Amino acid sequence: MDVSPNAIPDVVVRRLPIYARSLAYLAEEGVRSVSSQELGERIGVTAAQIRKDLSYFGEFGKQGIGYNVEYLLGHIRRILGLNEAWPVVLVGAGHLGRAIARYEGFRSRGIDIVGVFDADPTKIGMELGKLRVQPNTDLPAMIRQQHIRLAIVAVPAHLAQEVVDGLVENGVQGILNYAPVVVQVPEGVWVRHIDPVALLHSMTYYLAREEERAHTG
Amino acid sequence: MDVSPNAIPDVVVRRLPIYARSLAYLAEEGVRSVSSQELGERIGVTAAQIRKDLSYFGEFGKQGIGYNVEYLLGHIRRILGLNEAWPVVLVGAGHLGRAIARYEGFRSRGIDIVGVFDADPTKIGMELGKLRVQPNTDLPAMIRQQHIRLAIVAVPAHLAQEVVDGLVENGVQGILNYAPVVVQVPEGVWVRHIDPVALLHSMTYYLAREEERAHTG
């Protein structure tokens, strides 16, 4: 079966890592098989959704038996390209960048931050776990020599586009952007955004409405 | 017009803060009016999508003139309940929690972190900007006395559910969860997740496929 990657809706692709994460916890707990119902409850989606999502990639579950946790986890990891670790560069060594560099949850899930870069001379040389902050000018050489295709951007909003342009120019094709601004990239480059304030605002919407109802209802 | 909040799709609610963020940049730049086309290009959605999203909340643009930036921004901010600042508690003062506490982008966008809490005695009293880390045991009193409805959770995965249960029990109704685990909450409580690794994995999916094609194509 030769499924074009474009045939899988992006919303499904975004859920696969959550399935993998949950299956990894189950495997750690020694659980050998799980029904789509149980998995769905853990993840907060319906059993039907899980079955539909996974059906894009083949036949996994057996009626009445459920999914073999290790097998399904292994398969999803391969689908996600996680059979080997991905080297990632991190740009920005401010408070957030430093916290990201020190976060231990990356390596265990196949993400290997191999370099931290900043333009600020006062940050160069700073030790962050096993890494040492390098000047931005060293970034192109590292990306090219180590064939790095993923980057994390944790710079102020007004610098983000320039940083992203430089990354893309040197071959980076996937960017996790923490700067609170939408960056423009050419076709074939992927960007995911993390904006905690926007997520909080999408909740204040509901809370404000509730308050209104409480006062008028 | 009495639109029930449930009538607006959550995906639209999630885009509104991005519109607000982009309009705020435009306002700062002194831009007075913007077309749905221009706004869409900045945000990475189509003009039609923007017009459709905003139509849930009334009539804004004028044919051929575009949106008045200040007016639309003010309206979206009211829709999101951002006419006043929201007090928020932060649980977890590890590397990530400390970076969150120090992040200056919250207050300017109506999110006011009023307390940082941790269970670890070695972290209590640590100064983070204007805040000082308090013991988790002080959390219920602060939530109740200050009527706090929003919380940010930055604790290890195995502690997240317990922390969330405590928050909800004391009246928190919206949770931004940085722990890499889906937490269960009762009806009427909102949770948004931030999992940088899952977002990176949703990009390795595409990159791995491209590599495959490059090798076989």
Side-chain angles (χ1 to χ4, degrees):
Chain A
M1 194 172 60
D2 184 17
V3 179
S4 154
N6 300 325
I8 316 291
D10 189 53
V11 65
V12 176
V13 172
R14 282 166 170 270
R15 272 195 294 266
L16 290 179
I18 311 298
Y19 295 162
R21 193 182 69 185
S22 199
L23 288 164
Y25 285 129
L26 287 168
E28 261 176 48
E29 291 166 18
V31 176
R32 290 171 158 230
S33 93
V34 65
S35 67
S36 48
Q37 184 71 37
E38 290 164 318
L39 190 56
E41 277 168 20
R42 281 192 164 237
I43 295 170
V45 302
T46 64
Q49 186 70 71
I50 290 184
R51 287 194 298 266
K52 194 180 161 208
D53 285 355
L54 295 181
S55 72
Y56 282 105
F57 305 97
E59 279 289 330
F60 293 104
K62 285 200 188 101
Q63 199 72 38
I65 297 179
Y67 301 109
N68 178 307
V69 170
E70 287 285 359
Y71 177 79
L72 182 57
L73 175 58
H75 199 90
I76 293 180
R77 291 178 59 85
R78 274 192 304 280
I79 290 171
L80 292 172
L82 299 174
N83 10 359
E84 43 199 330
W86 288 77
V88 177
V89 288
L90 166 63
V91 189
H95 289 307
L96 178 62
R98 298 204 293 273
I100 293 168
R102 288 186 175 119
Y103 178 57
E104 283 159 20
F106 285 117
R107 194 176 294 256
S108 60
R109 292 167 72 193
I111 299 297
D112 191 8
I113 298 180
V114 295
V116 186
F117 296 85
D118 204 290
D120 175 0
T122 66
K123 296 208 178 79
I124 311 304
M126 201 182 264
E127 277 185 50
L128 302 170
K130 290 175 198 160
L131 298 165
R132 202 180 272 271
V133 180
Q134 296 172 255
N136 270 358
T137 45
D138 290 357
L139 196 45
M142 180 180 265
I143 294 173
R144 288 173 182 275
Q145 281 159 18
Q146 302 195 26
H147 305 288
I148 291 168
R149 299 167 71 200
L150 282 172
I152 301 175
V153 173
V155 301
H158 69 281
L159 298 175
Q161 186 65 57
E162 191 188 327
V163 163
V164 166
D165 289 345
L167 290 166
V168 170
E169 202 176 294
N170 286 287
V172 168
Q173 294 170 288
I175 291 163
L176 182 61
N177 177 28
Y178 279 88
V181 64
V182 175
V183 290
Q184 313 293 329
V185 292
E187 188 103 0
V189 177
W190 296 88
V191 182
R192 304 294 195 201
H193 291 94
I194 291 187
D195 183 347
V197 180
L199 290 172
L200 286 163
H201 287 175
S202 75
M203 295 191 284
T204 59
Y205 170 82
Y206 295 105
L207 302 191
R209 240 127 230 92
E210 233 170 52
E211 212 159 71
E212 228 166 64
R213 272 191 301 191
H215 285 289
T216 59
Chain B
M1 194 173 62
D2 185 16
V3 179
S4 154
N6 300 324
I8 316 292
D10 189 53
V11 65
V12 177
V13 172
R14 282 167 171 269
R15 272 195 293 266
L16 289 179
I18 310 300
Y19 295 161
R21 194 182 68 186
S22 199
L23 288 164
Y25 285 128
L26 288 169
E28 262 176 50
E29 292 166 16
V31 176
R32 287 169 161 234
S33 93
V34 66
S35 68
S36 48
Q37 184 71 36
E38 290 164 317
L39 190 58
E41 276 167 20
R42 282 193 162 235
I43 294 170
V45 303
T46 65
Q49 185 71 71
I50 289 185
R51 287 194 298 268
K52 194 180 162 208
D53 284 356
L54 296 181
S55 73
Y56 282 106
F57 304 98
E59 280 289 331
F60 292 104
K62 285 200 187 103
Q63 199 73 36
I65 298 181
Y67 301 108
N68 177 306
V69 170
E70 287 284 0
Y71 178 78
L72 183 56
L73 174 58
H75 199 90
I76 294 180
R77 290 177 59 85
R78 276 193 301 281
I79 290 171
L80 292 172
L82 299 174
N83 11 359
E84 45 199 328
W86 289 76
V88 177
V89 288
L90 166 62
V91 190
H95 290 305
L96 178 63
R98 299 204 293 273
I100 293 168
R102 288 187 177 119
Y103 177 57
E104 281 158 22
F106 284 118
R107 193 177 294 254
S108 60
R109 292 167 71 195
I111 300 297
D112 192 8
I113 298 181
V114 294
V116 185
F117 296 85
D118 205 291
D120 175 0
T122 67
K123 297 209 178 78
I124 311 303
M126 200 182 267
E127 277 184 50
L128 302 170
K130 290 176 200 160
L131 297 166
R132 202 179 271 273
V133 181
Q134 296 173 256
N136 270 358
T137 45
D138 290 356
L139 196 45
M142 181 180 266
I143 294 173
R144 287 173 182 274
Q145 281 159 16
Q146 302 194 26
H147 305 289
I148 291 168
R149 300 166 71 200
L150 281 171
I152 300 174
V153 172
V155 301
H158 69 280
L159 298 175
Q161 185 64 57
E162 191 188 327
V163 164
V164 166
D165 289 346
L167 289 166
V168 170
E169 202 175 293
N170 286 288
V172 168
Q173 293 170 286
I175 291 163
L176 182 61
N177 177 29
Y178 279 88
V181 64
V182 175
V183 291
Q184 313 293 331
V185 291
E187 187 103 2
V189 177
W190 296 88
V191 183
R192 304 293 194 202
H193 291 94
I194 291 187
D195 183 348
V197 181
L199 289 172
L200 286 163
H201 287 175
S202 75
M203 295 191 284
T204 59
Y205 169 82
Y206 294 105
L207 302 191
R209 239 127 231 93
E210 235 171 51
E211 211 159 73
E212 227 167 64
R213 273 191 300 192
H215 286 289
T216 59

